[in-house]
Amino acid sequence: MSPDSTLGSILFDLGSGQWDIPALRELLGTMAPSKTTLDGFEVRHDFPGLGERVMILNARTIVYDDGATSTILLTCRYVTNSRLIEAQRAELLDKAEDLLRQKDILLHEMEHRVANSLQIIASILMLKARAVTSEETRHHLQDARQRVLSLAAVQSLHASEGIDRIEFSTYLEKLCSSLGASMFGEGQSIEIRVIAQAGSVESARAVSLGLIVTEPVINAIKYAFPADSEGSVVLVTYEINGPDRKLVVSDNGVGKPSGGPPKKVDSGPSSSRLWWTSSACRRN
């Protein structure tokens, strides 16, 4: 359309009538009598020879001094390309989200399978440890089993949470529960109690800390309570103080006297303590 063919012409007659859009005609027809405004009205229209175009229309009714004459000021902004880009972007986002969902499903399935496999390995190691006659071999098998249990607990939490960091208090409870289930096979009445503040740690560090906790817990179960009695407790506590963490394994058993055979004591539980700073300090 040239300026000469545009000036003084009715909008709907411009060119070959490509602006004679029913939605636009109806909209502008209601503006003049009511003196309303139009903001951000989106029009999609298939123009002959051009294809579909998307436009954002804004309009104002202009009333002249005599109060009887009015015209409509209409602005048109083409947004075809930006809308096309937005549609493509939305489609790509949908595909990306679908791929992420598929990845999460496969990852969770794999982690469940790994956790189950580790539990099976731990059970086999326990059976082998009970069957061998060599005390040294039994110790190595039991040590390997506890490492597998520690790793299995982390894998189980990964399968439920799906993150690179895990809640350490939940991990401690799960680990100690597994240790108790594997150690209390002879009617022992020992309670493993966990008191831990909520806080997450990297999964790799959780495995290392789990191995550290496993050793004193097993020793307490084996040696702290030579006589079965009610109220026997192995206590695992985890405290957070700013960047510092404190992990304590204690028991109310017989303790370790300086000489002679162990004797039952009423006070002063034995304990193992571990302090470390947060990962930002790069110290253990």
Side-chain angles (χ1 to χ4, degrees), residues 44 52 54 78-93:
R44 290 178 177 266
E52 186 182 64
V54 185
Y78 287 93
V79 293
T80 305
N81 291 337
S82 60
R83 288 294 187 269
L84 179 60
I85 292 173
E86 289 174 1
Q88 292 174 343
R89 179 181 177 187
E91 183 180 359
L92 289 174
L93 286 174

Side-chain angles (χ1 to χ4, degrees), residues 46 65 74 83 135 155 162 181-182 219 256:
D46 192 1
D65 292 339
L74 176 67
R83 288 294 187 269
E135 189 63 32
Q155 285 297 126
S182 64
N219 285 339
K256 184 179 179 182

